[in-house]
């Protein structure tokens, strides 16, 4: 589905917000400009797609052998000779991801490659379990329903809550929430709510660790924004879809075919070494094969890639912009371990389970429950394929040690796996996710740069829209394309987001009243703590 016409995306939420593009021609007229898109993850693919569909000549540079960025997959050969795909880990495709879904519909109009999981279950080591299947989807009934259904909230817990501290969550607006909460850590904000410990681990910290970060380092504004996107700001609910096959086969190979049909040149295993502004307003993009001139450049890189490229491109941007890029930080390392076991897990195990209180283990996926490739291997072997995630690991912990800890915790979560023989195992240990630290919002780059022919895209970008994670990557890619198309008088892509304010007038009024009464005491405490 192209977003040009502004048709409401398929979904339940009637309050989804449309951001129409600026008026312009449908396509490039005359000789097409050329654009280098540096980075073949979601953001780069989104930018390349819109530009190419409007008639721009696009070359996509990706340093890895495959497309997809942090949602990519690589071929491996298992010990039994089976060809399989190892990815960088489970990703949930939430129904709120309007722009990501718009991108995927280019190659799969009905999104037949996605399938829904029946629940989003959470389990604490104390034995408490939560889920969202039975929770209403419409705010504010979803929040009330979660509290009513959750075993983590007892009568005493409800009495101990500090509702006034939670009022900012009732009317989250992207810029205002960062003004109010960016200088407070997610950990300290949760402390101010006086949430019961179990509910805090099962609910809020699951959101914060979705950013691969320790809550003590993560901006409370980012966590509040997540809560708005997935809960109080949207009626799409917290259930999600997953691809029926590995990411390359289900998503990126079909999209690459779509790009090829629009004349895009895709250069994988071709890292860009530098971008050099020219006196004629264009830019030379340098890789191992030499330098090529382009009219504009999209930088759709991860944090390390962007910092390194800017450092190697001394003429790019101005001093302030370059300094802000240099200050970007990555989140702590994470580990993905995928195990091919010789026997199935116990009946009834969910396809995905969020965990808390199990050491470094943050979730367990039984991949063979929903991914075709893994399911076929499990059917042939009589086994199962299980994936483990550990986020925000200590950099001092060796990857082998962390992998052993994840496996040991798996045995606690699913005891039947203790007796299973591991027929093969593969690991992905990475430290390339952006960190959104306390006080860092204003420092993050925006899509526009000091150079009008250079734009930035990716989940590290500050968009001032209620988007996060994969959806922020797709949205920023569309925004980057729109900025360039605007220069050439061409209409860009229509964008959709969840509402950028609280859904209920009554709750918005409560939030305003709370802000007036509170006088910013939460912010004040954060500032005093920071000074201390």
């Amino acid at each position: 589905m192209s977003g040009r016409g502004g048709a409401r995306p398929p979904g339940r939420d009637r309050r989804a917000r449309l951001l129409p593009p600026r008026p312009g021609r449908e396509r490039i007229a005359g000789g097409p400009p050329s654009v280098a898109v540096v980075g073949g993850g979601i953001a780069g693919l989104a930018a390349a797609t819109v530009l190419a569909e409007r008639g721009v000549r696009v070359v996509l540079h990706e340093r890895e052998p495959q497309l997809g960025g942090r949602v990519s997959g690589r071929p491996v050969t298992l010990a039994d000779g089976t060809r399989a795909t190892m990815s960088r880990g489970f990703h949930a495709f939430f129904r709120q991801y309007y722009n990501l879904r718009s991108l995927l519909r280019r190659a799969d109009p009905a999104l037949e490659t996605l399938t829904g999981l029946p629940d989003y279950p959470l389990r604490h080591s104390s034995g408490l379990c939560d889920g969202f299947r039975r929770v209403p989807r419409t705010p504010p009934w979803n929040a009330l329903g979660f509290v009513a259904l959750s075993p983590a909230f007892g009568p005493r817990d409800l009495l101990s809550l500090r509702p006034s501290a939670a009022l900012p969550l009732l009317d989250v607006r992207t810029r205002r929430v960062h003004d109010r909460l960016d200088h407070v850590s997610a950990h300290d904000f949760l402390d101010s709510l006086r949430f019961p410990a179990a509910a805090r681990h099962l609910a809020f910290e699951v959101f914060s660790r979705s950013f691969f970060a320790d809550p003590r380092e993560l901006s409370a504004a980012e966590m509040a924004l997540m809560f708005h996107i997935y809960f109080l700001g949207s009626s799409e609910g917290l259930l999600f879809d997953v691809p029926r096959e590995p990411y390359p086969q289900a998503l990126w190979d079909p999209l690459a075919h779509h790009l090829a049909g629009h004349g895009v040149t895709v250069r994988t295993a071709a890292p860009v070494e530098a971008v050099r502004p020219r006196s004629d307003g264009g830019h030379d993009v340098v890789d191992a094969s030499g330098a090529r001139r382009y009219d504009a450049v999209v930088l759709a890189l991860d944090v390390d890639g962007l910092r390194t490229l800017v450092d190697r491109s001394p003429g790019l941007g101005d001093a302030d912009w370059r300094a802000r890029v240099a200050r970007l930080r990555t989140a702590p390392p994470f580990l993905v371990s995928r195990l091919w076991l010789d026997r199935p897990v116990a009946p009834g195990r969910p396809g995905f389970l969020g965990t808390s209180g199990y050491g470094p283990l943050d979730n367990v996926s039984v991949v063979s429950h929903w991914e075709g490739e893994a399911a076929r291997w499990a059917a042939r072997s009589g086994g199962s394929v299980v994936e483990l995630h550990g986020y925000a690991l200590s950099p001092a912990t060796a990857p082998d040690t962390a992998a052993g800890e994840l496996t040991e915790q798996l045995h606690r979560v699913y005891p039947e796996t203790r007796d299973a023989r591991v027929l093969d195992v593969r690991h992905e240990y990475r430290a390339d996710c952006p960190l959104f630290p306390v006080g860092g919002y204003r420092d993050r780059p925006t899509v526009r740069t000091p150079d009008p022919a250079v734009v930035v895209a990716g989940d590290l970008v500050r968009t001032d829209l209620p988007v996060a994670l994969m959806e922020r990557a797709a949205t920023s890619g569309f925004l980057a394309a729109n900025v360039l198309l605007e220069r050439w008088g061409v209409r860009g892509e229509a964008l959709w987001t969840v509402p950028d304010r609280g859904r209920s007038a009554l709750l918005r009024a409560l939030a305003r009243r709370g802000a007036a009464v509170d006088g910013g005491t939460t912010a004040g405490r954060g500032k005093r703590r920071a000074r201390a």
Side-chain angles (χ1 to χ4, degrees), residues 316-335:
L316 209 56
D318 60 20
D320 176 69
W321 181 79
R322 295 174 62 83
R324 287 192 291 121
V325 169
R327 288 194 293 269
L328 291 172
R329 296 169 57 193
T330 55
F334 69 93
L335 176 65

Side-chain angles (χ1 to χ4, degrees), residues 3-6 17-23 479 482 486 491-497:
R4 295 190 219 181
R17 176 188 177 206
L18 170 66
L19 288 79
R22 295 198 176 186
L479 286 170
N482 287 357
E486 183 184 330
R491 185 169 59 180
E493 185 81 358
L495 301 177
W496 289 87
T497 74

Side-chain angles (χ1 to χ4, degrees), residues 371-382:
E371 185 188 272
E373 179 185 274
R376 292 187 290 273
W377 181 89
R380 288 194 307 271
S381 67

Side-chain angles (χ1 to χ4, degrees), residues 39-46 60-74 87-89 91 93 100 103-104 246-249 251-253 255-256 259 266-269 300 302 430 432 459 470 473-474:
I42 290 174
L45 289 167
L60 178 64
H61 294 259
E62 168 54 44
R63 69 185 175 193
E64 300 294 336
Q66 58 280 323
L67 299 174
R70 291 198 293 277
V71 195
S72 64
R74 57 184 174 86
S87 77
R88 297 185 35 151
H91 286 80
F93 289 69
L100 176 59
L103 174 65
L104 299 180
Y247 301 127
Q249 297 91 308
L251 308 177
W252 312 132
D253 292 349
L255 189 58
L259 291 174
V266 177
R267 297 171 55 85
T268 54
D302 61 22
R430 303 275 185 154
D432 54 6
D459 60 351
M470 290 191 293

Side-chain angles (χ1 to χ4, degrees), residues 377-394:
W377 181 89
R380 288 194 307 271
S381 67
S384 57
V385 183
V386 176
E387 185 178 279
L388 315 175
H389 283 204
Y391 304 144
L393 300 173
S394 168

Side-chain angles (χ1 to χ4, degrees), residues 136-158:
R137 291 193 294 182
T138 303
W141 310 115
N142 52 3
L144 296 174
F146 178 74
V147 170
L149 294 170
S150 173
F153 286 92
R156 291 184 179 179
D157 297 320
L158 293 175

Side-chain angles (χ1 to χ4, degrees), residues 38 271-276 284-287 308-309 312-314 316:
V38 185
V272 169
E273 298 171 2
V275 176
R276 298 171 182 161
D284 286 332
V285 173
V286 184
D287 63 12
T308 300
L309 184 60
R312 292 176 177 174
S313 308
L316 209 56

Side-chain angles (χ1 to χ4, degrees), residues 413-427:
V413 178
Y414 294 161
E416 69 274 14
T417 62
R418 188 177 295 277
D419 296 325
R421 188 160 58 97
V422 178
L423 301 179
D424 210 323
V425 61
R426 301 300 167 100
H427 307 287

